[in-house]
């Protein structure tokens, strides 16, 4: 028996947003920025599976290539074609103790029933179930779409472009499920992405963060209301993220498109600012929020695991010391059963102690991260 016989606790994170909003890029940015954010700590954030590592690497290659090319066109990035789990490990380096962070990404087109292929309906229901069970619900929002909707016609197209009604429906199901699980944490994070052109704290020259906040609150007001109504205890944060940091909006065009959402299509193009070096900002706030939630969740989850192991050890020890009749004792001794029982008890006791030490080490590290302060961009909604 070994510690790997019992997998690390899983912490589910749902990612809810329309097609090409940048869900995969957000996940890649969070993972990439974690090296800076977690530097000098006992904690690392890394892919747990080869599949996750490949997907993250491919998206980072796309983003790095855009920087080297000197321009960025989000339409050129390949969208998610199937439901995809990103399996990450938040762990202490020396011991390998950790928590599984599982994020689910899915084709944004599935949000709208009219665009969802019938053969994918079952898979979509599984996605909804995953999000309802998630302790954290990330809601990426295309900041460029919001901020560049400059005319009444553009603004009329926002709900259809951003699928706000569909986002509201899934958020309602999530909040309802959270209310039914009062012992589990609940955090919704509205994450405007591609924010580089609206903040002056990461190389930009325009300080329009207050306008972005007001616009998010207006356009996503119904989403916020439905979360509050269905789970008054759920926490809601606003955490804008610069996906690349070194880009500047050059053009934003709304073109007539009869089959497009709201009868329009939106396309934005970005140039690369010098120095041409990726500088993610805001992802740290998302990680802090998750760590703060983990400080409460891990106490219950890991304490239950420690108690379980200790109970197994006590039962095994009691069995090993169970009195036997003289002839039966000889038989047990002869075939090695008595020795096996004692070894089993010793093994479970050892694992219980290792589990306790690792839980404490991880708890200290996560608590230290949770005590870090948010940036000035973050708001509690």
């Amino acid at each position: 028996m070994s510690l790997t016989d019992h997998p690390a606790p899983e912490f589910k994170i749902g990612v809810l947003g329309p097609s090409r909003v940048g869900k995969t890029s957000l996940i890649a940015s969070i993972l990439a920025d974690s090296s800076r954010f977690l530097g000098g700590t006992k904690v690392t954030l890394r892919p747990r599976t080869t599949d996750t590592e490949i997907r993250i690497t491919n998206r980072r290659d796309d983003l790095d290539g855009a920087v080297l090319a000197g321009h960025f066109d989000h339409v050129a990035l390949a969208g998610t074609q199937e439901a995809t789990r990103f399996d990450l490990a938040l762990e202490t380096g020396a011991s390998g103790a950790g928590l599984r962070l599982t994020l689910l990404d899915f084709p944004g087109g599935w949000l709208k029933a009219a665009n969802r292929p019938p053969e994918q309906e079952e898979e979509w229901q599984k996605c909804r179930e995953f999000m309802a069970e998630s302790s954290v619900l990330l809601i990426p929002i295309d900041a460029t779409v919001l901020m560049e909707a400059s005319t009444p016609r553009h603004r009329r197209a926002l709900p259809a472009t951003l699928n706000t009604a569909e986002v509201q429906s899934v958020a309602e199901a999530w909040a309802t499920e959270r209310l039914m699980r009062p012992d589990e944490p609940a955090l919704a994070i509205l994450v405007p992405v591609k924010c580089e052109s609206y903040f002056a704290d990461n190389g930009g020259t325009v300080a329009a963060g207050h306008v972005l906040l007001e616009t998010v609150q207006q356009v996503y007001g119904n989403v916020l209301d439905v979360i509050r109504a269905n789970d008054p205890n759920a926490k809601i944060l606003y955490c804008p993220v610069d996906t690349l940091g070194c880009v500047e909006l050059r053009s934003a065009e709304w073109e007539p498109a009869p089959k497009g959402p709201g009868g329009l299509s939106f396309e934005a193009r970005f140039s690369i600012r010098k120095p041409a070096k990726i500088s993610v900002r805001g992802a740290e706030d998302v990680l802090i929020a998750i760590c703060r939630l983990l400080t409460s969740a891990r106490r219950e989850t890991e304490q239950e695991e420690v108690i379980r192991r200790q109970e197994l050890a006590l039962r095994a020890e009691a069995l090993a010391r169970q009195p036997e009749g003289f002839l039966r004792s000889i038989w047990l001794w002869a075939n090695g059963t008595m020795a096996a029982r004692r070894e089993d008890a010793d093994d479970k006791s050892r694992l219980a102690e290792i589990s306790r030490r690792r839980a404490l080490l991880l708890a200290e590290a996560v608590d230290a991260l949770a005590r870090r302060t948010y940036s000035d961009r973050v708001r509690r909604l």
Side-chain angles (χ1 to χ4, degrees), residues 249-369:
L249 180 66
R250 289 306 178 199
S251 67
E253 299 176 355
W254 292 85
E255 297 290 345
K259 295 184 179 180
L264 296 172
S265 67
F266 178 80
E267 184 174 350
R269 289 185 173 85
F270 301 81
S271 61
I272 305 300
R273 289 196 299 246
K274 293 183 179 181
K277 183 177 180 180
I278 291 178
S279 176
V280 177
R281 186 172 179 86
E284 176 177 332
D285 293 322
V286 176
L287 284 171
I288 291 175
I290 291 173
C291 285
R292 289 188 179 188
L293 209 64
L294 285 171
T295 57
S296 59
R298 59 87 184 161
R299 287 189 182 99
E300 181 176 350
T301 304
E302 293 181 344
Q303 186 60 31
E304 287 177 354
E305 175 66 8
V306 172
I307 292 173
R308 189 188 68 81
R309 290 185 185 279
Q310 290 173 339
E311 289 176 346
L312 285 174
L314 290 174
R315 287 200 297 269
E317 182 66 25
L319 180 61
R321 296 179 179 179
Q322 179 178 325
E324 305 284 355
F326 177 74
L327 294 177
R328 179 169 173 76
S329 295
I330 292 177
W331 173 248
L332 289 173
W333 171 81
N335 67 14
T337 301
M338 190 74 75
R341 286 182 180 177
R342 290 198 177 94
E343 289 177 2
D344 188 50
D346 292 342
D347 189 43
K348 287 186 172 66
S349 296
R350 179 182 61 83
L351 290 177
E353 178 60 18
I354 292 174
S355 178
R356 185 187 70 82
R357 290 180 180 178
R358 291 187 173 184
L360 289 175
L361 183 60
L362 183 64
E364 291 172 359
V366 172
D367 285 349
L369 295 172

Side-chain angles (χ1 to χ4, degrees), residues 211-249:
V211 179
L212 177 60
L213 172 60
E214 292 172 359
T215 307
V216 167
Q217 289 177 305
Q218 180 183 17
V219 176
Y220 285 81
N222 290 337
V223 176
L224 297 173
D225 290 343
V226 80
I227 291 175
R228 296 181 184 120
N230 286 276
D231 186 1
N233 296 319
K235 297 180 176 63
I236 307 176
L237 285 182
Y238 166 85
C239 299
V241 171
D242 294 352
T243 310
L244 289 174
C246 60
V247 300
E248 189 72 36
L249 180 66

Side-chain angles (χ1 to χ4, degrees), residues 14-303:
V15 186
L16 173 60
S19 181
R20 297 190 181 279
V21 72
K23 299 188 296 295
T24 305
S25 296
L26 172 62
I27 297 171
S29 295
I30 291 173
L31 190 60
D33 196 47
S34 69
S35 298
R36 177 193 62 81
F37 170 59
L38 299 175
T41 73
K42 297 178 181 179
V43 176
T44 59
L45 182 64
R46 65 173 185 82
R48 291 185 65 251
T49 65
T50 301
D51 185 60
T52 294
E53 184 176 6
I54 291 172
R55 292 179 184 275
I56 291 293
T57 299
N58 288 343
R59 182 46 53 97
R60 290 307 310 174
D61 287 345
D62 290 339
L63 298 175
D64 289 342
V67 172
L68 293 174
H71 63 87
F72 175 70
D73 179 359
H74 77 281
V75 176
L77 294 179
T80 300
Q81 302 300 315
E82 60 184 0
T84 304
R85 292 195 182 213
F86 289 86
D87 295 311
L88 308 178
L90 185 69
E91 60 185 18
T92 50
S95 68
L99 288 165
R100 297 164 57 200
L101 303 182
T102 305
L103 296 89
L104 180 66
D105 186 14
F106 61 88
W110 288 4
L111 272 175
K112 192 174 287 293
N115 298 335
R116 193 163 56 243
E119 64 271 16
Q120 298 296 343
E121 191 63 37
E122 182 178 352
E123 192 67 23
W124 167 238
Q125 292 307 316
K126 291 180 182 178
C127 291
R128 286 186 65 105
E129 291 173 7
F130 180 97
M131 285 185 283
E133 295 170 354
S134 297
S135 298
V136 177
L137 188 65
L138 293 182
I139 305 178
I141 301 168
D142 193 324
T144 312
V145 171
L146 285 179
M147 296 293 281
E148 303 307 319
S150 57
T151 72
R153 187 182 182 192
H154 298 164
R155 288 190 286 273
R156 277 195 296 269
L158 285 178
T161 302
L162 298 170
N163 294 162
T164 52
E166 290 79 10
V167 169
Q168 177 183 334
S169 175
V170 176
E172 180 179 9
W174 172 81
T176 301
E177 183 68 20
R178 292 297 93 201
L179 184 64
M180 295 173 63
R181 304 185 185 203
D183 295 333
E184 297 182 12
L187 172 65
I189 311 178
L190 274 63
V191 189
V193 294
K194 310 167 194 169
C195 295
E196 290 86 344
S197 299
Y198 310 111
F199 287 92
D201 58 3
N202 194 25
T205 58
V206 177
H210 63 290
V211 179
L212 177 60
L213 172 60
E214 292 172 359
T215 307
V216 167
Q217 289 177 305
Q218 180 183 17
V219 176
Y220 285 81
N222 290 337
V223 176
L224 297 173
D225 290 343
V226 80
I227 291 175
R228 296 181 184 120
N230 286 276
D231 186 1
N233 296 319
K235 297 180 176 63
I236 307 176
L237 285 182
Y238 166 85
C239 299
V241 171
D242 294 352
T243 310
L244 289 174
C246 60
V247 300
E248 189 72 36
L249 180 66
R250 289 306 178 199
S251 67
E253 299 176 355
W254 292 85
E255 297 290 345
K259 295 184 179 180
L264 296 172
S265 67
F266 178 80
E267 184 174 350
R269 289 185 173 85
F270 301 81
S271 61
I272 305 300
R273 289 196 299 246
K274 293 183 179 181
K277 183 177 180 180
I278 291 178
S279 176
V280 177
R281 186 172 179 86
E284 176 177 332
D285 293 322
V286 176
L287 284 171
I288 291 175
I290 291 173
C291 285
R292 289 188 179 188
L293 209 64
L294 285 171
T295 57
S296 59
R298 59 87 184 161
R299 287 189 182 99
E300 181 176 350
T301 304
E302 293 181 344
Q303 186 60 31

